[in-house]
Amino acid sequence: MSRIGRMPIVVPAGVQVTRDGNTVTVKGPRGELTRQFAPKMTVTIEGNQVAVSRPDDARDSRALHGLTRALLANMVTGVSTGFVKRLVVDGVGFRADMNDKDLVLQVGFSHSVTMHPPEGIRFEVDRTGRFITV
């Protein structure tokens, strides 16, 4: 059995998971996500846990089992806390700065590189200019 697929997903407080056939909707403080999963995967909601099970040990069922569980866990994380990525700027003379909401990088070019954040994305740079949080 899939090690990823058999782990239950713990739903934090403030997040609501509903199922309609093979369509799962996750609502939380950061928004709402809806996704349709493979009909052979069974999604079970019990209290504050969500479990995914598969009908047999066929190769495609095993692959869908872990994938379905991972996608559901990412949906729960996305609507509850959001995603954060921390980047390290490492190199002689390399650094990052903020100009209002824009990220300004000094990464070895003769000019600085300015990145404008897309809608819903935020950049933060620490005081040393080495760590970027997206």
Side-chain angles (χ1 to χ4, degrees), residues 4 6 13 16 32 61 64 73 85 92 98 103 107 109 116 129:
I4 299 294
R6 71 177 170 204
Q16 178 184 2
E32 176 179 340
S61 295
L64 284 172
K85 189 69 175 175
V92 176
M98 292 296 296
L103 177 66
V107 287
F109 295 117
H116 308 285

Side-chain angles (χ1 to χ4, degrees), residues 97-118:
D97 289 317
M98 292 296 296
N99 184 9
D100 292 328
K101 293 183 178 181
D102 297 338
L103 177 66
V104 180
L105 300 171
Q106 306 280 325
V107 287
F109 295 117
S110 61
H111 59 282
S112 60
V113 177
T114 303
M115 299 186 69
H116 308 285

Side-chain angles (χ1 to χ4, degrees), residues 22-129:
N22 60 341
T23 303
V24 177
T25 303
V26 182
K27 294 179 186 175
R30 292 190 171 254
E32 176 179 340
L33 295 172
T34 301
R35 184 171 180 95
Q36 191 171 12
F37 293 102
K40 61 170 54 174
M41 292 296 114
T42 305
V43 177
T44 308
I45 303 166
E46 296 174 1
N48 69 337
Q49 290 189 343
V50 178
V52 179
S53 60
R54 63 178 186 229
D56 53 30
D57 279 337
R59 183 181 177 107
D60 60 335
S61 295
R62 289 192 319 250
L64 284 172
H65 190 206
L67 174 69
T68 303
R69 191 261 178 211
L71 290 173
L72 274 170
N74 287 342
M75 289 170 66
V76 170
T77 301
V79 300
S80 61
T81 59
F83 294 97
V84 175
K85 189 69 175 175
R86 290 179 178 79
L87 308 172
V88 178
V89 180
D90 192 21
V92 176
F94 289 12
R95 67 179 184 271
D97 289 317
M98 292 296 296
N99 184 9
D100 292 328
K101 293 183 178 181
D102 297 338
L103 177 66
V104 180
L105 300 171
Q106 306 280 325
V107 287
F109 295 117
S110 61
H111 59 282
S112 60
V113 177
T114 303
M115 299 186 69
H116 308 285
E119 184 69 31
I121 304 293
R122 239 178 347 122
F123 296 126
E124 293 177 4
V125 178
D126 74 327
R127 291 184 304 149
T128 64

